[in-house]
Amino acid sequence: MQFSAHQIATLVNGSVEGNPDVMVEQLAKIEDASSGSLSFLSNPKYEQYLYTTKASVIIVNEDLKLDRPVAGTIVRVKNAYLAFSTLLELYNKMRLDKTGIEERAFIHPSAKIGKNAYVGAFAYIDKGAVIGDNCKIYPHVYIGDNAKIGNDSTLFPGVSVYFDCNIGERVIIHSGTVVGSDGFGFAPQENGTYTKISQIGNVIIEDDVEIGANSVIDRATMGSTIIRKGVKLDNLIQVAHNVEIGKNTVIAAQSGISGSTKIGENAVIGGQVGIVGHISIANGSQIQAKSGVNRTIAEEGKKWSGAPAAAFNAQMRSQVVYSRLPELERRLEELEQLLTKELSK
Amino acid sequence: MQFSAHQIATLVNGSVEGNPDVMVEQLAKIEDASSGSLSFLSNPKYEQYLYTTKASVIIVNEDLKLDRPVAGTIVRVKNAYLAFSTLLELYNKMRLDKTGIEERAFIHPSAKIGKNAYVGAFAYIDKGAVIGDNCKIYPHVYIGDNAKIGNDSTLFPGVSVYFDCNIGERVIIHSGTVVGSDGFGFAPQENGTYTKISQIGNVIIEDDVEIGANSVIDRATMGSTIIRKGVKLDNLIQVAHNVEIGKNTVIAAQSGISGSTKIGENAVIGGQVGIVGHISIANGSQIQAKSGVNRTIAEEGKKWSGAPAAAFNAQMRSQVVYSRLPELERRLEELEQLLTKELSK
Amino acid sequence: MQFSAHQIATLVNGSVEGNPDVMVEQLAKIEDASSGSLSFLSNPKYEQYLYTTKASVIIVNEDLKLDRPVAGTIVRVKNAYLAFSTLLELYNKMRLDKTGIEERAFIHPSAKIGKNAYVGAFAYIDKGAVIGDNCKIYPHVYIGDNAKIGNDSTLFPGVSVYFDCNIGERVIIHSGTVVGSDGFGFAPQENGTYTKISQIGNVIIEDDVEIGANSVIDRATMGSTIIRKGVKLDNLIQVAHNVEIGKNTVIAAQSGISGSTKIGENAVIGGQVGIVGHISIANGSQIQAKSGVNRTIAEEGKKWSGAPAAAFNAQMRSQVVYSRLPELERRLEELEQLLTKELSK
């Protein structure tokens, strides 16, 4: 894929300064760019690089004033960051433009595949499953009986979606993620063994959700585990049975949410957080990485930290004193000795 | 799948009150049920829902007294919870009733497949592997050379079992779980590099074990990593080489057990727990979520918490004071000032 | 596979004492060995087992003095541990000696497969991908467009390598690991939703790296996420976009490294560690299991512990006082009462 500065300016509605015919074939940060790269400058902090970069084409804000000549070709646009983002997206769309049903895919005769979908070889689409229009189902994806995938969704290689699960539109799920495995439900018996409680519910993933690689969303015991519209989950996340995650909530890698917990909307949850079961987390909560939340958070929009999680500021204050604990103990001892001495006088 | 109230009563040995011909086609909680649902009432706390539920059929305990008429059909049984569990299990068995060897499965000529087994397309069963009777081997499962799967076991899509591993009867393993990957063993060299120590042991998983999705059980360096009968492991769990987990122990998601550690029987281990290598954990130990266990627990049946893990009650007491640390420091300062003032008089 | 004591001695350049024709067919620890096993004695601590072991052949150091007769056949070598390691490696190489391209593999016409490579059935090798000589690509492996795998590398079943990623020579990647999934990058919008930032970079994995099962290495936003030569990563590890991990660094299971962080060379990082984004960790740092590192570590070769991570010794001291906090509080109260009483006199 090669583009001229002129073609790029046309794509992003910009104007060219310098050679309009110079070609670029990759995208790079301004400080790392080599010849043949397209780059951008948005943050004034990086302006110095404009004069040293080897990028062949640089997109800049239209009002940028140049101090001295620039080696590469400049493309001026209203918002350099947005223009570059648009090109990034376009670039990836072109790279990932797979279509058609490959011969070695397995599609059950009763399954339905939407228009213009991609189904890779070794993908397995079981009885009664429905794949929407423009979906990309990569190789080694498994879609169980009666599962539904909405239009324009992408499932990368090795995703497994168990039977009856329901995935919305424009959803992206990365490799190895499992949707709809059994919740962890066992009834203890008198002799110390456990009896499995059948998990007959499903998972519902609403529109515009993205889920990273090797995460797991368990199906509900009954009813549904629900990931609401616009939620973004990172890699290696555990979502237990009957959990509900509210709209536009973002959760970083390796966090885990235990059964039946309800997370509000627009929450931001760091990495390696653990949240116990059967509680609720208010809208807009911000939970620091590695926190352990063991009770309901009712107040909206607050910041939490620590294990067990406490209000962020209180936690920070305790943390600081924690680092001085040996000194604290010593001071206490000195006081004790001083007082004992004083009292014995 | 549709059943009449009469058919359900027959299945669970109950008696019908109301229309025996009303049909149900799904199972739901009494508070969520819609028309066409089968539900149950066991916990008296939910009795109010009996009079408002839209469930078409409700299973109740035989001694339940009704205050007023109920819209749905009642099925009376000895134990409503048990009867409903039986139906849940039956329901899932019917849904997951796959059999036969699909044409596009790969089965090495020297592998043996038991009677009535299911082997999905794109499952790969390698040289000398043995699959027991009634097993379900879903698509994208890999069974390595000479691995053995006991009767009535289910491996969901994308499970990988490396060569020589040995899995018992009635074992359930969810998607993406890896059994028998190399243990993490490297010998440091003088120049700072590491040399791999070949891991030639295997993994033994005994009968009635269930393992969640995307967990990893590493093979032993020599000998076996062993998961004993009746153990239940959740999702995203790490079990390192040469670990042994005792009978009926239950471990929640994202916990990790380091090499050569031996966990006793009937232990209950929460989520995101870490346990160091080369220690042992006594039978019946209860370890709270997010604990970090760094030494042997010799006493049976105790509760532990924190990182490093300490006796639960002691940990709780320290935790409470931790939240008051800034206040403690302030009180200490006041005492110091008071005493200094006093002594300077 | 069966070998005589004589054959083994030849392989490891040793001399036989006892029956040179006795056959062994497995490898075992000296304390666990049964008849037909080959074992070794290196650590004098285990010398007692030499006289009781059932191993048929035991490799020992050439200078070992026997106190009394040994039942098995002895093979004397310069370094028993090294000789045994060599045999372990040989044993596994023989077991895993797969070659050839299986008929049901999918290989895009434009992909290149090196000499003597193994490509299992249901492996999928996409457009322009390059697989080096002697590589082993197991079933269910996915290699995306233009990805490159260097000579002598092994990808176990179910590994996914996204487009454009670049893997070196002699690399081993275990089942279910994902290389090149999108970094977790989203731009918050005014209405509370998030817009995806396209991740157009790649992942570079240099030579002699080993990665465990079900780990995830995200591709860079731009540029590359880089795993340097000789790095060893365990299972279920998260490596975010634009991270760089320095040569010969070792990271234990379930640890996570956030975006753009740079880890030095020869660091040793325990399990379940979390490291925040945009920081750097000095060469030779040792970070204890479960630590949470939230700021740059600039000093080389130091030991760190806790969350937030602090110098190991300081952390240990605070930890000890933490366990005494209830007592500390009580002592403080006594002082307060004593002083109040004293002052009121």
Side-chain angles (χ1 to χ4, degrees):
Chain A
M1 287 185 290
Q2 283 207 329
F3 297 92
S4 69
H6 174 72
Q7 286 173 312
I8 286 162
T10 307
L11 278 170
V12 296
N13 205 16
S15 62
V16 176
E17 283 173 33
N19 179 5
D21 299 325
V22 65
M23 301 302 282
V24 291
E25 55 180 24
Q26 57 192 0
L27 301 156
K29 289 188 226 173
I30 193 164
E31 66 270 35
D32 299 337
S34 55
S35 176
S37 294
L38 168 67
S39 198
F40 80 110
L41 173 66
S42 168
N43 189 336
K45 216 175 76 181
Y46 292 92
E47 205 170 312
Q48 40 160 326
Y49 292 113
L50 189 60
Y51 306 101
T52 56
T53 184
K54 289 174 182 154
S56 300
V57 179
I58 311 109
I59 300 177
V60 303
N61 291 327
E62 57 188 8
D63 56 1
L64 181 80
K65 280 179 190 135
L66 299 182
D67 295 343
R68 41 200 156 108
V70 169
T73 294
I74 296 286
V75 173
R76 288 187 182 273
V77 296
K78 209 158 184 183
N79 183 326
Y81 178 72
L82 271 186
F84 194 72
S85 295
T86 305
L87 291 172
L88 284 182
E89 207 188 322
L90 205 68
Y91 179 82
N92 255 8
K93 268 208 183 125
M94 287 171 62
R95 301 202 63 102
L96 298 172
D97 192 25
K98 306 209 170 269
T99 49
I101 295 171
E102 295 182 356
E103 203 189 331
R104 284 190 260 181
F106 175 97
I107 297 171
H108 193 279
S110 65
K112 284 181 196 136
I113 311 292
K115 283 176 290 183
N116 196 33
Y118 167 62
V119 182
F122 315 136
Y124 189 110
I125 298 177
D126 216 338
K127 199 165 45 178
V130 178
I131 309 294
D133 296 345
N134 311 311
C135 280
K136 295 189 199 310
I137 307 296
Y138 275 77
H140 311 130
V141 167
Y142 172 84
I143 309 285
D145 293 352
N146 304 310
K148 286 181 187 51
I149 315 290
N151 295 337
D152 303 297
S153 288
T154 298
L155 274 60
F156 282 101
V159 168
S160 290
V161 178
Y162 281 50
F163 64 99
D164 281 352
C165 291
N166 213 319
I167 293 177
E169 304 194 346
R170 297 172 303 281
V171 168
I172 298 172
I173 305 182
H174 285 281
S175 284
T177 283
V178 176
V179 174
S181 42
D182 281 350
F184 197 60
F186 299 93
Q189 304 301 299
E190 277 180 23
N191 64 357
T193 66
Y194 290 85
T195 301
K196 182 175 178 65
I197 298 167
S198 294
Q199 307 286 311
I200 67 150
N202 74 343
V203 176
I204 295 173
I205 294 176
E206 295 188 348
D207 298 342
D208 301 305
V209 167
E210 180 160 346
I211 305 177
N214 284 348
S215 285
V216 180
I217 323 280
D218 277 348
R219 70 193 310 108
T221 310
M222 274 193 286
S224 300
T225 304
I226 305 176
I227 314 291
R228 295 281 179 210
K229 191 172 155 69
V231 165
K232 311 295 179 190
L233 302 182
D234 201 348
N235 305 323
L236 293 162
I237 284 175
Q238 151 75 355
V239 179
H241 47 182
N242 294 88
V243 163
E244 180 178 337
I245 302 181
K247 274 201 305 185
N248 300 320
T249 279
V250 172
I251 305 182
Q254 295 179 319
S255 287
I257 299 154
S258 305
S260 299
T261 279
K262 202 172 163 173
I263 313 260
E265 302 181 358
N266 291 96
V268 176
I269 299 177
Q272 297 184 344
V273 168
I275 301 182
V276 299
H278 299 276
I279 66 169
S280 62
I281 307 289
N283 292 341
S285 295
Q286 294 171 49
I287 302 175
Q288 296 278 110
K290 268 197 179 292
S291 297
V293 184
N294 63 1
R295 57 175 188 76
T296 284
I297 294 178
E299 222 184 338
E300 296 196 358
K302 298 289 177 189
K303 219 169 158 181
W304 305 86
S305 174
F312 181 75
N313 289 335
Q315 186 66 244
M316 288 303 106
R317 282 192 294 266
S318 283
Q319 231 171 60
V320 165
V321 184
Y322 175 83
S323 68
R324 289 197 288 258
L325 275 186
E327 184 206 325
L328 226 71
E329 192 175 45
R330 191 185 43 70
R331 282 163 60 192
L332 183 62
E333 262 165 47
E334 284 175 6
L335 269 191
E336 286 171 337
Q337 286 164 7
L338 204 58
L339 198 59
T340 310
K341 206 171 111 188
E342 200 51 31
L343 293 180
S344 66
K345 274 186 191 170
Chain B
M1 287 185 290
Q2 284 207 327
F3 295 93
S4 68
H6 173 71
Q7 285 174 313
I8 286 161
T10 307
L11 279 168
V12 296
N13 205 17
S15 62
V16 178
E17 283 173 35
N19 178 4
D21 298 324
V22 65
M23 301 301 283
V24 292
E25 55 182 23
Q26 57 192 359
L27 301 156
K29 289 189 224 172
I30 193 164
E31 65 270 34
D32 299 337
S34 55
S35 176
S37 294
L38 168 67
S39 197
F40 81 109
L41 172 67
S42 169
N43 189 337
K45 217 174 76 180
Y46 293 92
E47 204 171 314
Q48 39 161 327
Y49 293 112
L50 189 60
Y51 306 101
T52 56
T53 185
K54 289 172 180 155
S56 300
V57 179
I58 311 110
I59 298 177
V60 304
N61 290 327
E62 56 187 7
D63 55 2
L64 180 79
K65 279 177 193 139
L66 300 181
D67 294 344
R68 41 201 156 109
V70 169
T73 294
I74 296 287
V75 172
R76 290 187 180 272
V77 295
K78 207 157 185 184
N79 184 325
Y81 177 73
L82 271 186
F84 194 71
S85 296
T86 305
L87 290 172
L88 285 181
E89 207 188 322
L90 204 68
Y91 179 82
N92 255 8
K93 268 208 182 126
M94 286 171 63
R95 301 202 63 103
L96 299 172
D97 191 24
K98 306 205 170 274
T99 49
I101 295 171
E102 296 183 355
E103 204 189 329
R104 285 189 259 182
F106 176 96
I107 297 171
H108 193 279
S110 65
K112 283 181 197 136
I113 310 292
K115 282 175 291 181
N116 195 34
Y118 166 63
V119 183
F122 315 135
Y124 189 109
I125 298 177
D126 215 339
K127 199 164 46 179
V130 178
I131 309 294
D133 298 344
N134 311 310
C135 279
K136 296 190 198 310
I137 307 296
Y138 275 78
H140 311 131
V141 167
Y142 172 84
I143 308 286
D145 293 353
N146 303 311
K148 284 180 188 54
I149 315 290
N151 296 336
D152 303 296
S153 288
T154 299
L155 275 59
F156 283 101
V159 168
S160 290
V161 179
Y162 282 50
F163 65 99
D164 281 352
C165 292
N166 212 318
I167 292 177
E169 304 194 347
R170 296 171 304 280
V171 168
I172 298 172
I173 304 182
H174 285 280
S175 283
T177 283
V178 176
V179 174
S181 42
D182 281 350
F184 197 59
F186 300 93
Q189 304 300 300
E190 277 180 21
N191 64 357
T193 65
Y194 290 84
T195 301
K196 183 175 177 67
I197 298 167
S198 294
Q199 306 287 309
I200 67 150
N202 73 344
V203 175
I204 295 173
I205 295 177
E206 295 188 348
D207 299 341
D208 301 306
V209 167
E210 180 160 346
I211 304 178
N214 285 347
S215 285
V216 180
I217 323 280
D218 277 349
R219 67 192 313 107
T221 310
M222 274 193 285
S224 300
T225 304
I226 306 177
I227 314 291
R228 294 282 179 209
K229 191 172 156 66
V231 165
K232 310 296 178 190
L233 302 181
D234 202 348
N235 304 321
L236 293 161
I237 284 175
Q238 151 75 356
V239 179
H241 46 183
N242 294 86
V243 163
E244 180 179 337
I245 302 181
K247 273 200 306 183
N248 300 321
T249 279
V250 172
I251 304 181
Q254 296 178 317
S255 287
I257 300 154
S258 305
S260 300
T261 279
K262 201 172 163 175
I263 313 260
E265 302 181 359
N266 291 95
V268 177
I269 298 177
Q272 297 184 343
V273 167
I275 301 181
V276 300
H278 298 275
I279 65 169
S280 62
I281 306 289
N283 293 342
S285 295
Q286 295 171 49
I287 302 175
Q288 296 279 110
K290 270 199 177 291
S291 297
V293 184
N294 62 1
R295 56 175 189 76
T296 282
I297 293 177
E299 221 183 338
E300 297 196 358
K302 297 289 176 190
K303 220 169 158 181
W304 305 87
S305 175
F312 182 75
N313 289 334
Q315 187 64 246
M316 288 304 106
R317 282 192 294 265
S318 285
Q319 232 171 57
V320 166
V321 184
Y322 175 83
S323 67
R324 289 196 288 257
L325 275 185
E327 184 207 323
L328 226 70
E329 192 175 42
R330 189 184 45 69
R331 282 163 59 190
L332 182 61
E333 263 166 46
E334 285 175 7
L335 269 191
E336 286 171 336
Q337 286 165 9
L338 205 60
L339 199 58
T340 310
K341 207 171 111 190
E342 202 49 33
L343 293 180
S344 65
K345 274 184 192 172
Chain C
M1 286 185 290
Q2 283 207 329
F3 296 92
S4 69
H6 173 73
Q7 285 173 311
I8 286 161
T10 308
L11 279 168
V12 296
N13 206 15
S15 62
V16 177
E17 284 173 35
N19 178 5
D21 299 324
V22 65
M23 302 301 283
V24 290
E25 55 181 23
Q26 57 192 1
L27 301 156
K29 290 188 223 171
I30 193 164
E31 65 270 35
D32 300 336
S34 55
S35 176
S37 295
L38 168 68
S39 196
F40 79 109
L41 173 67
S42 169
N43 187 336
K45 215 175 76 181
Y46 292 91
E47 205 170 312
Q48 41 162 324
Y49 292 112
L50 188 60
Y51 305 102
T52 56
T53 184
K54 289 173 181 155
S56 300
V57 179
I58 311 109
I59 299 177
V60 303
N61 291 328
E62 58 187 6
D63 55 2
L64 180 79
K65 277 178 193 141
L66 299 181
D67 294 344
R68 43 203 155 105
V70 169
T73 294
I74 296 285
V75 173
R76 290 185 181 272
V77 296
K78 209 158 186 182
N79 183 327
Y81 178 73
L82 271 186
F84 194 71
S85 296
T86 305
L87 290 173
L88 284 182
E89 207 188 323
L90 206 69
Y91 179 82
N92 256 8
K93 267 207 183 127
M94 287 172 61
R95 301 203 63 102
L96 298 172
D97 191 26
K98 305 206 169 272
T99 48
I101 295 171
E102 296 183 356
E103 202 189 331
R104 284 189 261 182
F106 175 97
I107 298 171
H108 193 280
S110 65
K112 283 180 197 137
I113 310 292
K115 281 175 292 181
N116 197 32
Y118 166 63
V119 182
F122 316 135
Y124 189 110
I125 298 177
D126 216 338
K127 200 165 44 180
V130 178
I131 309 294
D133 298 344
N134 310 312
C135 280
K136 294 188 200 312
I137 307 297
Y138 275 78
H140 311 129
V141 167
Y142 172 84
I143 309 285
D145 292 353
N146 303 312
K148 284 181 187 54
I149 314 291
N151 296 336
D152 304 296
S153 289
T154 298
L155 274 59
F156 283 101
V159 169
S160 290
V161 179
Y162 281 51
F163 64 99
D164 281 352
C165 291
N166 213 319
I167 293 177
E169 304 194 346
R170 297 172 303 280
V171 168
I172 298 171
I173 304 182
H174 285 280
S175 283
T177 282
V178 176
V179 175
S181 42
D182 282 350
F184 197 59
F186 299 93
Q189 305 300 301
E190 278 180 22
N191 64 358
T193 66
Y194 290 85
T195 301
K196 182 174 177 68
I197 298 167
S198 293
Q199 307 287 310
I200 66 150
N202 73 344
V203 175
I204 296 173
I205 295 176
E206 294 188 349
D207 299 341
D208 301 306
V209 167
E210 180 160 345
I211 304 178
N214 285 347
S215 285
V216 180
I217 324 280
D218 277 348
R219 70 193 310 109
T221 309
M222 275 194 284
S224 300
T225 304
I226 306 177
I227 313 292
R228 295 281 178 211
K229 191 172 154 69
V231 165
K232 310 296 179 190
L233 303 181
D234 201 349
N235 304 323
L236 293 161
I237 284 175
Q238 151 75 355
V239 179
H241 47 183
N242 294 87
V243 163
E244 180 179 338
I245 302 180
K247 273 200 306 186
N248 301 321
T249 279
V250 172
I251 305 182
Q254 297 179 317
S255 287
I257 299 154
S258 305
S260 300
T261 279
K262 202 171 163 174
I263 313 261
E265 302 180 358
N266 291 95
V268 176
I269 298 177
Q272 298 185 343
V273 167
I275 301 181
V276 299
H278 299 274
I279 65 169
S280 62
I281 306 290
N283 293 342
S285 295
Q286 294 171 49
I287 301 176
Q288 295 278 110
K290 270 198 178 290
S291 296
V293 184
N294 62 3
R295 56 175 189 75
T296 284
I297 294 177
E299 222 184 338
E300 297 195 359
K302 297 290 177 189
K303 218 168 160 182
W304 305 86
S305 174
F312 181 77
N313 288 335
Q315 187 65 245
M316 289 303 106
R317 282 192 293 265
S318 284
Q319 231 170 59
V320 165
V321 184
Y322 174 84
S323 67
R324 288 197 288 256
L325 275 186
E327 184 206 324
L328 227 70
E329 192 176 42
R330 191 184 44 70
R331 281 163 60 191
L332 183 61
E333 262 166 49
E334 285 174 6
L335 270 189
E336 286 171 334
Q337 287 164 7
L338 205 58
L339 198 57
T340 311
K341 207 171 110 188
E342 200 52 31
L343 294 180
S344 66
K345 273 185 191 169

